[in-house]
Amino acid sequence: MPPSSAQTGNAPTKARRRRGEGQWALGYREPLNKNEENKKNDDGLNVRDRIINVYSKAGFDSIDPADLRGRFRWFGLYTQRAPGIDGGKTAVLEPEELDDRYFMMRVRIDGGQLSAAQLRAVAEISRDYARDTADITDRQNVQYHWIRVEDVPAIWEKLEAVGLSTTEACGDTPRVILGCPLAGVAEEEILDASPQIEQIYEDHIGSPLYSNLPRKFKSSISGCTTHCVNHEINDVAFVGVRNENGETGYDLFVGGGLSTNPMFAKRLGTFVRPDQVSEVWAGVCSVFRDYGFRRLRTRARIKFLIKEWGAEKFREVLENEYLGYSLPDGPGPELDEGLRRDHVGVRPQRDGKFYVGFAPKVGRVTGTSLLRVAEIAETHGSDRIRTTADQKLVILDIDADDTAAITADLETEGYEVNPSTFRRQTMACTGIEFCKLAIVETKDRAATLIDELEKRLPDFDEPLSINVNGCPNSCARIQVADIGLKGQLVMDENGEQVEGYQIHLGGGMGLTNSFGKKVRGLKTTAEDLPDYVERVLRRFKDQKEKDETFAA
Ligand code: SF4
């Protein structure tokens, strides 16, 4: 007879049952944490009526805390960080102690597609209601700060008048759908994914069927070969391919995501026809809704389900339980490594016109300057402006003989069409200025870093991405940058705790998919950051072999 647990002193393993993960499809419908309880109590989409009819009239103090810190997100609203609270307090204060009485508001721009009238509306809202703030995010959204709840109905009215919304821009919902800014005009395009993005938006966004997911759900759909919307790190991604019969459609990837447990998406290897995309998207989203882990927020993204199941089982469940048919196998996507993903600069479209991509510094703009962008686009005959997944902007449809003039107009506004590597490829998340999870400042630091590197290394022209994050959440994609900077408190030379960054080196996507290496102890104070990056880049330039890139 084996010794009992009492004799060995070990815990009785046989009696220990594996705890449920809160998967609805397995019968776990009871909420296992506060977020799940809030969602069960009332659908996030229902907060819209209360904002219009109650909170905007009665003011900030009338807002139910469960709405304020939960359901407001279903309409792109987060309270911003109260000014003056340093990063050391982020983890120790209660959420309400970090709350300001103003909101960050995110406008979803699916596919990154804007007309001049839409951009003008976005810009005027910034000028009139958001103290002229606006950030172009790395998910093609525009984010405002300083929004008052009293102004939200008027803002929505103005957005909706031009076909935009903040619906499901945040929260445990299907967020904005990324799309190639050059959809329909790129020379190297396999197919234009815009109709599929529009279809999903029409069919499913704002539907109560998908408004209670275990966690956020990020989508991308593109038919180009530059892969500029980073399918590798989306929850679901459709990537344009041509099959052996010459038909165009999509390969399907599921389960990518960064944050504290980064994972690249797994390829399911199916061929999805364009007319099936909306249904297949709904199928993937439904598998996530029903089988996703809801017990712990930190394990709730679809990537954890994919990690447990693998791509094969996921595909089986999708086909058998949700679609009711099998998808054929299909080819993997092509990748044109010769092109950079950011679409900055002047380049030809396939119809003989040109696009002009330009770089605001770390995505930060103002409503006033966005109004000028709308004017400049129209003056030069364009009604199509695009946001990119690299915090940049693109104007389409410029005549060949007008590219110099539009470049000059944009540069007068401070938007560089031929920027340095540093300005072109440095991104920063919101950081401590407005984000309640932040530990350190990001936007200003990154802007200073760009200025310093441009001065110190004026001839550096290698492709090189520097992504600056204010905390481990990786909103600005630290793990896939050449130099990823994760905000944290560090010790300076006097033993004082100061703002700084942990360094990840050598991350990237494309043929060289890899997460940056986090070297234990490799940290810099914020003050020393320009010196540190300069040292690394000088060493790289001195020691690199011919054709060697920073990542390889
Ligand atoms: Fe906020 Fe952290 Fe995301 Fe930056 S990475 S925006 S600090 S949550």
Side-chain angles (χ1 to χ4, degrees):
M1 184 192 282
S4 72
S5 59
Q7 288 165 316
T8 62
N10 292 332
T13 48
K14 268 193 187 157
R16 197 189 294 148
R17 276 192 302 134
R18 188 160 183 264
R19 292 178 66 190
E21 292 282 5
Q23 294 163 280
W24 284 1
L26 303 188
Y28 293 98
R29 295 296 296 219
E30 278 314 300
L32 294 171
N33 60 50
K34 210 156 184 280
N35 292 76
E36 287 300 313
E37 200 178 305
N38 274 346
K39 289 189 283 180
K40 187 172 186 192
N41 289 345
D42 189 27
D43 192 303
L45 294 173
N46 294 336
V47 81
R48 180 185 160 93
D49 284 349
R50 290 195 286 279
I51 291 176
I52 293 174
N53 298 316
V54 182
Y55 302 143
S56 65
K57 296 189 171 118
F60 187 88
D61 292 327
S62 69
I63 305 171
D64 178 333
D67 285 345
L68 183 68
R69 292 186 198 93
R71 298 181 196 102
F72 266 50
R73 295 175 191 190
W74 271 241
F75 288 91
L77 289 156
Y78 281 87
T79 45
Q80 63 189 40
R81 186 185 187 94
I85 299 180
D86 68 53
K89 306 252 173 58
T90 301
V92 295
L93 291 179
E94 294 298 321
E96 56 273 19
E97 294 177 281
L98 287 160
D99 277 339
D100 200 356
R101 298 168 72 82
Y102 296 93
F103 293 88
M104 181 278 282
M105 176 186 261
R106 187 176 293 159
V107 181
R108 62 185 296 153
I109 301 173
D110 292 83
Q113 304 193 358
L114 289 168
S115 65
Q118 287 175 320
L119 180 60
R120 193 170 294 115
V122 165
E124 286 171 357
I125 290 167
S126 159
R127 184 195 60 193
D128 299 342
Y129 299 105
R131 301 190 188 179
D132 218 17
T133 59
D135 290 330
I136 312 293
T137 76
D138 61 3
R139 291 198 66 79
Q140 300 181 290
N141 298 302
V142 169
Q143 248 167 236
Y144 304 122
H145 304 285
W146 301 110
I147 298 291
R148 299 160 65 238
V149 71
E150 289 84 347
D151 295 328
V152 172
I155 294 172
W156 282 344
E157 219 171 282
K158 186 150 185 151
L159 287 173
E160 285 159 17
V162 292
L164 293 173
S165 84
T166 66
T167 306
E168 297 184 333
C170 310
D172 294 349
T173 64
R175 308 279 186 94
V176 66
I177 303 160
L178 300 191
C180 173
L182 306 184
V185 302
E187 281 188 317
E188 27 326 277
E189 185 170 73
I190 292 171
L191 78 168
D192 177 359
S194 311
Q196 284 73 62
I197 294 176
E198 214 177 304
Q199 186 79 52
I200 292 175
Y201 186 86
E202 289 300 316
D203 292 350
H204 308 300
I205 302 306
S207 160
L209 279 179
Y210 308 108
S211 60
N212 182 352
L213 301 177
R215 202 71 166 78
K216 64 178 108 172
F217 186 69
K218 297 181 173 181
S219 310
S220 75
I221 310 182
S222 79
C224 77
T225 52
T226 51
H227 301 181
C228 60
V229 290
N230 309 319
H231 64 275
E232 302 94 329
I233 52 171
N234 277 273
D235 293 292
V236 64
F238 294 83
V239 188
V241 293
R242 194 182 306 277
N243 72 10
E244 58 200 19
N245 305 321
E247 282 175 277
T248 55
Y250 298 92
D251 193 3
L252 181 57
F253 288 73
V254 182
L258 295 177
S259 202
T260 43
N261 276 292
M263 297 180 207
F264 286 120
K266 294 274 181 290
R267 178 173 173 250
L268 298 199
T270 57
F271 182 77
V272 183
R273 291 193 322 263
D275 64 294
Q276 294 174 308
V277 167
S278 178
E279 183 174 58
V280 172
W281 180 93
V284 173
C285 195
S286 303
V287 177
F288 177 45
R289 178 194 60 207
D290 299 343
Y291 285 98
F293 305 149
R294 291 174 183 258
R295 183 166 65 86
L296 295 173
R297 301 281 294 167
T298 48
R299 269 176 55 76
R301 292 282 294 275
I302 196 173
K303 63 188 176 183
F304 293 98
L305 182 65
I306 292 287
K307 188 174 177 211
E308 182 159 307
W309 280 6
E312 206 177 315
K313 176 168 175 185
F314 190 94
R315 179 172 170 179
E316 237 173 70
V317 173
L318 171 68
E319 292 176 342
N320 297 340
E321 294 183 28
Y322 290 87
L323 299 178
Y325 55 85
S326 295
L327 291 162
D329 290 343
E334 296 162 29
L335 172 64
D336 190 336
E337 275 284 291
L339 293 167
R340 283 159 82 171
R341 290 186 173 194
D342 61 7
H343 305 307
V344 170
V346 178
R347 280 182 54 83
Q349 299 177 181
R350 66 168 181 259
D351 58 5
K353 297 208 173 200
F354 283 74
Y355 70 82
V356 181
F358 49 101
K361 210 181 263 179
V362 292
R364 180 140 284 182
V365 291
T366 63
T368 308
S369 72
L370 286 179
L371 271 177
R372 276 293 294 141
V373 172
E375 258 170 47
I376 290 170
E378 284 184 321
T379 305
H380 293 276
S382 170
D383 190 33
R384 299 202 288 177
I385 299 111
R386 302 290 181 254
T387 54
T388 80
D390 292 285
Q391 302 181 336
K392 307 292 182 291
L393 290 160
V394 181
I395 297 177
L396 305 183
D397 306 331
I398 301 302
D399 287 334
D401 55 11
D402 211 14
T403 55
I406 192 171
T407 298
D409 283 352
L410 287 166
E411 296 201 334
T412 303
E413 275 311 300
Y415 291 118
E416 291 194 17
V417 176
N418 299 297
S420 69
T421 282
F422 306 120
R423 175 142 175 183
R424 180 171 178 168
Q425 286 191 272
T426 300
M427 295 203 304
C429 75
T430 304
I432 207 163
E433 187 182 5
F434 298 113
C435 176
K436 289 184 295 181
L437 301 178
I439 300 166
V440 306
E441 210 286 326
T442 50
K443 291 276 190 198
D444 283 349
R445 291 262 192 245
T448 308
L449 179 65
I450 293 169
D451 293 343
E452 283 297 317
L453 293 174
E454 284 177 346
K455 261 190 272 162
R456 298 179 193 196
L457 298 163
D459 302 325
F460 191 94
D461 58 0
E462 307 277 340
L464 177 104
S465 52
I466 303 176
N467 293 0
V468 186
N469 282 246
C471 81
N473 278 326
S474 201
C475 296
R477 314 198 294 250
I478 25 176
Q479 297 96 338
V480 290
D482 291 306
I483 300 180
L485 300 163
K486 180 174 83 182
Q488 59 178 222
L489 297 176
V490 300
M491 292 295 178
D492 69 7
E493 55 193 19
N494 304 318
E496 302 282 329
Q497 223 178 31
V498 293
E499 288 196 3
Y501 302 93
Q502 174 158 57
I503 299 173
H504 293 60
L505 288 177
M509 290 183 288
L511 291 179
T512 49
N513 257 0
S514 61
F515 293 124
K517 294 201 177 35
K518 182 172 64 175
V519 185
R520 218 174 176 21
L522 190 51
K523 295 173 188 171
T524 172
T525 63
E527 203 184 331
D528 291 340
L529 182 61
D531 293 346
Y532 172 80
V533 178
E534 182 188 359
R535 269 199 312 277
V536 171
L537 297 187
R538 282 194 188 283
R539 202 170 309 149
F540 166 66
K541 269 211 105 160
D542 292 347
Q543 296 176 4
K544 87 181 193 98
E545 314 256 313
K546 190 170 174 292
D547 296 333
E548 190 184 11
T549 61
F550 192 86

